[in-house]
Structure formats: C-alpha cells, structure tokens
Amino acid sequence: MSVSAQLLLNSLQIGAVYVLFAMGLTIIFGVMRIVNFAHGEFFTLCALIIAVSMPWLVEGGLPLWAAYGLSFVFGLGAVTLLSLVIFRFGFMKFQRDMIGSFILSIGLVLLLQGVYLDVFGGIPRVVPPVVEGTYSIMGAAITAQRLLLCAIALVITIALYWMLTHTKLGKGLRAIAEDHEAAMLQGIPYRRITLYGFLIGSLLAAIAGGLIAPVSVPSPVIGADYLIKGFIAVIIGGLGSISGAILGSALIAVIDSVGGYYFDPSTATIAMFVLVMLVLIVRPRGILGHA
C-alpha cells in the first residue's frame, strides 16, 4: 500500500509541473498555430533568476519566504519582458507559419541557452526549500515544499480553466483557437488576443520553473528535459486542448514515476515514446484533440 501511495504522490508532484508547462505550450499553439521550442527557455530563465537573486536577498536580511517571493516576481517580470520582445520581433511575423516558427524557435533556443550560460554560468545552483517538514499521506512521504508546489499548481490550473470558460479574454482565446477568421469577423481583436495568449503561455512556463527551483537544481539547460516531456504530453492529449494537456501530463507523470521505480528512467522514457507512437497511429490528433 505504501509503495502504491508513494508512486501516486510522486506522479502527482511530477505531473503538477508538467501540467503547467504543457498548458502553456498548448495555449500558444491553439491561438497562434506555432510549435514554440523556445518554451523551455522561459521555464529556465525564471528558475535561474530565483537561484541567483534569492541568496542576495537573504544576505540582505529578508526572510527566506520573502526572498523567494520577491525573486519569483523578478523571474516573472523578466519572462514577461522577454516574451514581449520575442512576440513583437519574432513570432508575430510567423503566426500560423509552422516552418518559419519552427526555424525561429530553434534559433531562439540556441541563442538563449548561450546567453544564459554567459550570464549565469554553467554550474548548477541550489535553491533552499522555503517551507520545511515532511508529511505522511496514506503511508507515503511528501515534503512540505513539494506539497506546496502541488497546491499552487492545482490553484493555477483551476483559475486558468475558469478564465477560459467564464471571461471575455478566455472566450476570445477559445474562439481564435477554434476558427481565427470567424473570430475576426465577429469583432474579436485577433492580434491583441494572440499577444495575451502568448504571454499567458510563457508565464505558465515561468511559474512552473519558479515552483520547481527549490526542489531541483536549476541550470541553463534545465528546460530541455521539461520541453521534451511537455511536448509528449500535449501530443498524447491533443495539441490545442487544455483538457488534453492535463490528461497527457498525468499519463507522462505516471509513466515517469512507475517506470522509474520498477525499471529505470531510460525505460520510462522509451515507454513514453512508444505511447506517443501508439496514440499517433490510432488517433493522430491526440486523445482529446479536435478533428
């Protein structure tokens, strides 16, 4: 029982980050019809800024939780600025252009990783946990920091789902994702809504990076692994589908956790790619993707 409960809790922790990351990817694809390979760099930037600025703030006399919160704000601000620049001078010109956006995003990955290495250095950094302690749930152990991560991810997921279904912005995002030409004919401001969609997607990646920083080891390449897993999740669930991103992330987290425990991480990764191939053969648009 304890092993099953522990694997379930591990899946929950892993899935919480994948869900935020994958929802950002799928929102950007839904409104702009681009596959943004630079998505992981937003994740990385927020984690690195927290890892660098938090020790300075603590040395300056701030409590640990206040230093983390302020560093998180710095990270979100930097990602907002970076995503605005990338959208304005890059992706705005390549909307619904899969080849152009593919080349641009690959170039951005190489450029930003080089900048991160130059600015932050290549040494992995350690961020101290903001909350201490370990809890036992059904015989399984989970640290207070990871429990906080899961709670915040759950709140953000619910808030995003509510925003998409109950607000004018959310309905505009869904309308453009469904049929952008019909949405424009209905008077929906296409350019403004796509900008908001890109910013929301980028900030979701940044939040995921900020949450994982205290339970991981931030480095300039930390986003690469999450980018691969995030793409696998949205392909399985269905590109452009929020529900699909959540379902795909949950499946990936279970495979990662259970496969890693009973076999090894490489076997779990192979199982993910096998699942992707099976889904693409049986249902090319993903489990919850629209026809």
Side-chain angles (χ1 to χ4, degrees), residues 73-281:
V73 172
F74 290 160
L76 295 180
V79 169
T80 302
L81 182 61
L82 178 63
S83 57
L84 276 172
V85 171
I86 288 176
F87 179 86
R88 176 65 182 82
F89 298 102
F91 286 122
M92 194 175 78
K93 301 174 182 175
F94 293 100
Q95 293 184 55
R96 300 179 185 276
D97 178 355
M98 292 292 284
I99 297 176
S101 61
F102 172 81
I103 296 171
L104 175 62
S105 62
I106 292 294
L108 285 170
V109 170
L110 298 175
L111 173 65
L112 291 173
Q113 284 188 357
V115 172
Y116 294 166
L117 278 169
D118 192 47
V119 173
F120 298 103
I123 301 173
R125 298 170 183 272
V126 177
V127 177
V130 181
V131 288
E132 300 284 354
T134 302
Y135 294 95
S136 178
I137 302 175
M138 297 184 296
I142 181 171
T143 64
Q145 185 67 49
R146 291 182 181 273
L147 198 58
L148 178 66
L149 185 160
C150 295
I152 294 174
L154 179 63
V155 169
I156 291 173
T157 302
I158 293 172
L160 180 70
Y161 204 86
W162 182 87
M163 185 274 287
L164 289 173
T165 53
H166 289 81
T167 66
K168 190 175 179 180
L169 172 60
K171 291 174 183 176
L173 288 168
R174 289 165 52 209
I176 287 175
E178 190 72 26
D179 187 334
H180 75 289
E181 291 181 346
M184 291 169 71
L185 290 174
Q186 295 297 318
I188 294 175
Y190 174 73
R191 287 185 181 276
R192 193 191 312 161
I193 295 293
T194 52
L195 170 61
Y196 292 157
F198 189 79
L199 288 177
I200 291 170
S202 303
L203 285 174
L204 284 171
I207 292 170
L211 291 175
I212 201 69
V215 296
S216 184
V217 184
S219 74
V221 295
I222 189 176
D225 187 48
Y226 287 90
L227 179 70
I228 294 171
K229 302 287 178 59
F231 269 121
I232 291 175
V234 295
I235 290 171
I236 290 173
L239 273 167
S241 168
I242 293 294
S243 303
I246 296 172
L247 175 63
S249 299
L251 289 173
I252 291 302
V254 170
I255 293 173
D256 211 358
S257 175
V258 177
Y261 177 79
Y262 286 106
F263 302 98
D264 58 72
S266 60
T267 304
T269 304
I270 292 171
M272 292 177 200
F273 284 109
V274 170
L275 180 60
V276 169
M277 287 188 284
L278 289 175
V279 169
L280 290 176
I281 291 171

